[in-house]
Amino acid sequence: MAHVLTSDGVIFNLEPKLVRSCKTIRDCTQDCSDGATLPIPNVNSVVLKKIIHYNTTGELDSVDNLLDLLCACDYLQYDELLDHGAKLVAESLRGKTPGEIKAYFNL
């Protein structure tokens, strides 16, 4: 089990399955002493809860904050969820005009 501290100051105890899936956390836990709390400054608690839910169930509970989720998965090197999320973004952009795509990404 690994202990992590999110960017908004919430501490989570992560199950071994999730630690193995997130290369960043896995590598840090191997380099740190037992019981150390690892800061993950690029991930907030809302997004980490979504990651934990996906790792437990294999499903996303919602697609809210999808871009934040993708950034967190990239930072944590959680490739399975990153690929799944990228597919969801691609599906949501299919058939949209350039203007609609700009609006989707707030550009």
Side-chain angles (χ1 to χ4, degrees):
M1 185 165 297
H3 310 286
V4 297
L5 175 66
T6 61
S7 63
D8 51 348
V10 179
I11 295 176
F12 286 85
N13 298 319
L14 303 182
E15 294 295 324
K17 178 183 174 192
L18 181 56
V19 172
R20 287 188 304 271
S21 298
C22 298
K23 294 175 190 168
T24 300
I25 294 172
R26 183 188 66 216
D27 293 348
C28 286
T29 57
Q30 291 173 351
D31 295 339
C32 295
S33 61
D34 289 336
T37 300
L38 306 169
I40 48 173
N42 294 1
V43 182
N44 66 46
S45 60
V46 172
V47 172
L48 186 57
K49 286 177 186 176
K50 288 180 179 295
I51 292 170
I52 292 168
H53 179 79
Y54 178 83
N55 188 261
T56 304
T57 65
E59 299 176 1
L60 286 175
D61 54 351
S62 74
V63 291
D64 297 336
N65 303 322
L66 187 56
L67 297 178
D68 291 335
L69 178 70
L70 291 175
C71 289
C73 289
D74 183 51
Y75 174 74
L76 296 173
Q77 298 180 50
Y78 189 0
D79 296 334
E80 177 187 341
L81 183 50
L82 182 61
D83 291 345
H84 181 70
K87 288 176 187 174
L88 291 175
V89 170
E91 289 170 8
S92 68
L93 296 177
R94 184 174 293 132
K96 294 201 182 307
T97 66
E100 291 171 327
I101 293 171
K102 285 181 180 180
Y104 181 86
F105 288 110
N106 295 318
L107 299 176

